[in-house]
Amino acid sequence: MVRVKHEKPRGVLNVRSAALAHGLSRYAPSEALAPFVEHYWIVRWSLAEPRRAETLPHPSIHMVLEPARSEIVGVMRGKFSRMLEGEGRVIGTKFRPGAFRAFVDRPVSSFSDRRWPLAAVFGDRLNGFDARALAQPDDAGAVEEIEAFLQSLHPVASDAMVLAGRITGRIAAGREITRVEQLVEELGISLRQLQRLFREYVGVTPKWVIQRYRLIEAAERLASGPLPDLAGLAAELGYADQPHFIRDFKKIVGRAPAEYARQIE
């Protein structure tokens, strides 16, 4: 039985925090794959006019299935932006941070900011799985095909994989985590060990993960109601001053915080 995931997605840009992501459905993995998969996601659209979808990507690898362009998408440091037109469907798997390492024989950093055709990653093991999943007319059938494929790869959760995921989750949930040194002290490991763990299993640096989740937090705060005090928000997010916060936000989102808040639909 495929279970719907009801938690609101994070990182979706240009919509009010109370709004649901239009056309997005998400499903929880089976118990066997829960250590590796955060959720499956399916986006459908039928548009009279083109619409741009934008998100701030998380430190996760995705398997994205589409006709003629199924691929593995590494952790993307930039903003994701895609123009949706006409009708379409995309079927995705969001792996837990650190967990994709269980399916490949190389450091996850080799996938960062890159897109790989499925055949280049899985070779003969692919065995036409993507075509079978895309041929399913309903969400449940597509998810079942993905589950069967991933389980056929026999992933094993290592201690290091679990640790990488736990640390990333700590950053995501802990708004007070604004510096890598806090993690080093809390975990009792060296900075070099932490960086090596993230390079192998997450694909980006701990500093990048901290900044990304704090910017996602900022975007959510800006979308939640009246414009907050930006100096106070910058301080909460660990910035030395407001100008540094505005610079980083504008660099990734494309607009300064105040302008972004004014233009949200």
Side-chain angles (χ1 to χ4, degrees):
M1 177 75 68
V2 175
R3 296 180 294 113
V4 176
K5 184 175 180 178
H6 294 287
E7 293 91 340
K8 188 179 181 301
R10 301 190 68 191
V12 179
L13 296 175
N14 306 315
V15 296
R16 290 291 171 192
S17 292
L20 295 175
H22 181 70
L24 171 65
S25 300
R26 300 189 301 167
Y27 303 94
S30 64
E31 183 177 351
L33 287 171
F36 310 97
V37 174
E38 189 167 326
H39 58 251
Y40 307 103
W41 54 267
I42 298 178
V43 177
R44 287 186 173 84
W45 65 91
S46 180
L47 301 170
E49 297 182 358
R51 177 173 62 85
R52 185 171 298 279
E54 295 185 326
T55 64
L56 291 181
H58 294 225
S60 297
I61 301 284
H62 290 255
M63 181 169 66
V64 181
L65 307 183
E66 287 187 86
R69 60 177 294 182
S70 294
E71 56 193 2
I72 294 295
V73 180
V75 178
M76 294 294 175
R77 295 179 175 90
K79 176 180 66 175
F80 169 81
S81 181
R82 175 171 174 175
M83 186 65 72
L84 304 179
E85 300 180 271
E87 295 186 358
R89 179 182 70 157
V90 179
I91 302 171
T93 300
K94 181 181 181 181
F95 292 92
R96 294 187 182 279
F100 189 68
R101 183 65 178 82
F103 297 90
V104 294
D105 60 357
R106 70 195 79 169
V108 175
S109 57
S110 66
F111 293 90
S112 298
D113 290 318
R114 299 182 68 184
R115 297 171 178 269
W116 295 62
L118 287 188
V121 178
F122 297 117
D124 293 340
R125 297 181 297 172
L126 194 61
N127 194 28
F129 133 77
D130 51 331
R132 294 194 300 274
L134 287 166
Q136 298 297 319
D138 60 88
D139 291 1
V143 169
E144 288 169 1
E145 287 287 351
I146 297 171
E147 286 252 328
F149 171 68
L150 293 179
Q151 291 196 51
S152 75
L153 301 178
H154 306 294
V156 176
S158 67
D159 291 342
M161 184 202 91
V162 173
L163 177 60
R166 181 168 65 84
I167 297 172
T168 307
R170 174 75 177 97
I171 296 171
R175 296 177 178 178
E176 75 282 2
I177 300 296
T178 58
R179 295 178 296 107
V180 177
E181 290 75 15
Q182 292 173 273
L183 293 172
V184 170
E185 182 177 355
E186 183 176 304
L187 296 166
I189 63 176
S190 71
L191 176 59
R192 185 179 297 274
Q193 287 175 306
L194 183 61
Q195 291 172 331
R196 187 163 55 243
L197 178 72
F198 269 57
R199 182 170 58 252
E200 183 75 22
Y201 287 88
V202 183
V204 286
T205 66
K207 180 179 179 180
W208 184 93
V209 175
I210 291 172
Q211 183 188 55
R212 174 50 52 90
Y213 278 118
R214 299 297 76 85
L215 288 176
I216 289 174
E217 170 77 10
E220 290 173 344
R221 293 277 291 276
L222 291 166
S224 64
L227 182 66
D229 171 54
L230 294 182
L233 180 58
E236 286 184 45
L237 298 174
Y239 283 91
D241 52 45
Q242 183 177 336
H244 280 86
F245 163 57
I246 293 174
R247 180 199 64 197
D248 282 358
F249 190 91
K250 186 174 182 179
K251 180 179 179 180
I252 188 67
V253 176
R255 286 162 285 168
E259 180 185 5
Y260 174 78
R262 286 194 302 268
Q263 294 180 353
I264 294 177
E265 299 176 355

